Amino acid sequence: MSAASVGIDVGGTFTDLVSVDLDGTAAARKVLSTPLDQSDGVIAALDALSASPDSITRVIHGTTVATNALLERSGATVALCATAGFEDVLELRRQDRAALYDLARHHPPPLVPPERCIGVPERIDPDGVPRALERADADAVANAVASLGVRAVAVSLLHAYRDARHEKAVAQALSAACPGIDVVLGSEVVPEIREYERTATTVAEAYLRPVVSRYLEQLAKRVCAAGYPSPSVMTSSGGVLPATEAARHAAALALSGPAGGVVGAALVASLAGFDQALTIDIGGTSADAGLVLGGKPLVESGGDIAGVPIALPRVLIETVSAGGGSVGWVDDGGALRVGPRSAGADPGPAAFGRGGTEPTVTDAHIVLGSIGQRQLSGGVEADPSAALAAVS
């Protein structure tokens, strides 16, 4: 194999690898994903390629670590330092309701509960500093955070997008009182107006950073130890960052995997002569739809991901739970429903023979005959009788 670029995307059921040589020759590999540590699946995919590490010039990775942490609420324990009197900004949100006509519907709870929101006695406004932050007050805030035993802290003060001096003073006090804690400043994450969106995004960054950085450091270490180049990571906006930098921009990876599908589809459509397209990317857990306009993916300035507002650029993607592993079920009214639960890679669809017993979209396709082959990708052999038993 001549010098090649490699792309590796981790999905809910499979981890996919595609390599492209300088002469345009492509090769693809598919292995089962490893939910407990996605880097196991990445290494397995590289091993399945059977290529000399010296022949690989670039590794690009799409990951769902950040997405899963938001969906499963499995991120770090976080505290929020906000201007005194504005500690409840995450609870107040905007005036929009969770469901317009459902009075019993509620927004998902914030990533930081009220008891971990600490008021900072300071105030900066357009006319100056009506309430300066005293060193003793900054130290008191830092000590209060230290008593909470959190893994990360978000600092989001009023108007810090124009004047960050108070946020930086709080950060210094936190670093002294809480050695080793991740301190995330809103003035660095989203230096823009709109207090709620900036605070929510800063909290999301603090919530995700310990999880994402641990994974990316582990991944880069294992990939480099195997002789491959250090990986770059897809961002939600469709670009890439080196793994070391991506670890410090965790919130920007919330749509890392799905964004790569839209970017790739835009390139294929452009090469085929189409500058407008509707894309659909069906994986094991979800089906993701995107738009291509003028030959480029449609990018928006931000939006909710798993109920968490993130005010960072992202490829516009709409997701429904209609992946191959999405579980079918019957609700109390007798209606057939699909998702949002997925059988994932372990145990996976019943037909995979890995212990799954619930009916999935893949099982339905096998029963219907639209998937007719017995030998599936990733070394999986389909068992039609198990699929029929599950669907029945």
Side-chain angles (χ1 to χ4, degrees):
M1 178 181 288
S2 60
S5 294
V6 171
I8 305 173
D9 178 65
V10 177
T13 304
F14 289 105
T15 294
D16 295 295
L17 177 149
V18 173
S19 70
V20 181
D21 293 357
L22 289 177
D23 62 5
T25 302
R29 300 290 186 272
K30 184 185 286 284
V31 300
L32 286 167
S33 291
T34 49
L36 293 180
D37 185 353
Q38 290 189 5
S39 66
D40 289 337
V42 172
I43 296 300
L46 287 168
D47 290 342
L49 184 61
S50 301
S52 169
D54 295 338
S55 68
I56 307 300
T57 59
R58 191 180 191 195
V59 176
I60 301 175
H61 176 42
T63 176
T64 55
V65 167
T67 316
N68 292 344
L70 291 175
L71 288 169
E72 299 167 2
R73 294 299 177 104
S74 57
T77 304
V78 179
L80 168 64
C81 296
T83 299
F86 292 81
E87 300 94 329
D88 53 2
V89 62
L90 294 180
E91 294 282 350
L92 293 176
R93 299 178 58 95
R94 292 291 181 184
Q95 292 185 2
D96 60 314
R97 302 221 306 261
L100 186 59
Y101 300 110
D102 186 352
L103 299 181
R105 182 88 170 268
H106 296 283
H107 289 288
L111 299 178
V112 180
E115 60 269 20
R116 294 205 301 269
C117 296
I118 298 173
V120 181
E122 63 84 40
R123 187 67 183 267
I124 294 176
D125 65 25
D127 298 322
V129 185
R131 185 176 186 181
L133 176 62
E134 303 295 336
R135 175 62 184 271
D137 290 331
D139 290 340
V141 168
N143 290 332
V145 171
S147 68
L148 296 174
V150 296
R151 178 65 183 82
V153 57
V155 183
S156 182
L157 306 180
L158 279 180
H159 306 299
Y161 62 93
R162 290 290 301 274
D163 188 340
R165 73 181 92 169
H166 285 177
E167 284 195 354
K168 292 178 179 177
V170 172
Q172 290 178 349
L174 286 166
S175 296
C178 315
I181 196 172
D182 277 304
V183 180
V184 180
L185 305 184
S187 56
E188 295 178 353
V189 175
V190 190
E192 299 176 3
I193 196 170
R194 297 195 183 283
E195 195 65 23
Y196 170 63
E197 286 76 12
R198 183 171 67 256
T199 301
T201 305
T202 305
V203 167
E205 176 66 30
Y207 184 78
L208 294 172
R209 186 177 290 180
V211 176
V212 170
S213 61
R214 182 169 60 248
Y215 166 70
L216 291 180
E217 288 169 5
Q218 166 80 353
L219 175 70
K221 181 179 179 181
R222 294 186 65 180
V223 170
C224 292
Y228 298 96
S230 181
S232 297
V233 183
M234 286 290 305
T235 68
S236 300
S237 63
V240 296
L241 289 173
T244 52
E245 189 174 347
R248 305 294 297 174
H249 295 82
L253 308 183
L255 290 177
S256 169
V262 183
V263 171
L267 175 61
V268 172
S270 179
L271 292 173
F274 299 96
D275 63 356
Q276 297 190 87
L278 173 66
T279 73
I280 182 73
D281 175 10
I282 302 178
T285 304
S286 63
D288 306 318
L291 281 174
V292 177
L293 299 177
K296 297 181 179 180
L298 185 60
V299 176
E300 58 182 354
S301 58
D304 284 14
I305 300 175
V308 178
I310 297 181
L312 296 172
R314 66 175 195 170
V315 173
L316 176 61
I317 295 172
E318 294 293 340
T319 298
V320 293
S321 54
S326 296
V327 175
W329 52 286
V330 177
D331 67 15
D332 292 339
L336 176 63
R337 306 287 295 275
V338 175
R341 279 199 313 117
S342 172
D346 187 12
F352 282 13
R354 297 168 58 85
T357 58
E358 294 183 289
T360 68
V361 172
T362 295
D363 294 312
H365 277 298
I366 289 174
V367 171
L368 291 172
S370 49
I371 297 178
Q373 69 271 29
R374 293 291 296 268
Q375 194 64 43
L376 304 179
S377 300
V380 174
E381 184 173 351
D383 182 349
S385 60
L388 180 60
V391 171
S392 298

